[in-house]
Amino acid sequence: MANRPLSPHLQIWKWGPHMAVSILHRITGDGMALVGLGVLVWWLAALAGGAESYANFQEIMGSVPGMIVLVGLSWAFFSHMSSGLRHFVLDIGAGYELATNKTWSIVVPLLGVLLTAGFWALVLS
């Protein structure tokens, strides 16, 4: 067993931005599914629980840790959406050229950050 070769992908592929964006896409999707679902269920339960329960939810989500969670969820949404649009373009057969793929792999996370900043600027204004 010790003399068996490693899988070829470990010897051939080099780390690139497209790999990072693909992994980030999976992480943001899981984060929205787990954390986002928890916040949504808590919000719905607070709505059903009455004014005191909802005020408690608002107080906690309006605090610094709560805002970090909400900003993180919105960043995950916008990053996941941008990456999903990139994947959609790849699925139709465009953007496979190395320079184009690398450029869009760098632009996608930046677009997620810009959209998040714009969203929160709009919400807080």
Side-chain angles (χ1 to χ4, degrees):
M1 291 295 257
N3 294 333
R4 295 184 66 184
L6 294 174
S7 181
H9 77 278
L10 295 175
Q11 299 162 352
I12 295 171
W13 300 109
K14 290 197 285 188
W15 187 262
H18 57 286
M19 292 175 164
V21 168
S22 179
I23 292 168
L24 184 64
H25 183 75
R26 293 180 178 136
I27 290 170
T28 55
D30 290 344
M32 285 189 302
L34 298 173
V35 177
L37 181 62
V39 172
L40 176 65
V41 168
W42 182 24
W43 176 67
L44 291 172
L47 279 173
E52 184 179 328
S53 179
Y54 191 71
N56 184 38
F57 173 81
Q58 283 183 312
E59 180 182 337
I60 292 171
M61 292 316 269
S63 68
V64 173
M67 291 300 288
I68 290 171
V69 169
L70 292 177
V71 169
L73 280 172
S74 60
W75 170 80
F77 171 77
F78 287 119
S79 292
H80 193 79
M81 180 186 69
S82 300
S83 180
L85 291 173
R86 176 182 168 267
H87 280 282
F88 178 71
V89 171
L90 291 172
D91 286 346
I92 62 173
Y96 279 103
E97 299 78 24
L98 189 56
T100 304
N101 195 349
K102 187 174 183 178
T103 300
W104 281 108
S105 297
I106 293 169
V107 168
V108 160
L110 296 175
L111 187 60
V113 170
L114 289 174
L115 288 171
T116 302
F119 172 76
W120 281 100
L122 185 67
V123 166
L124 295 176
S125 67

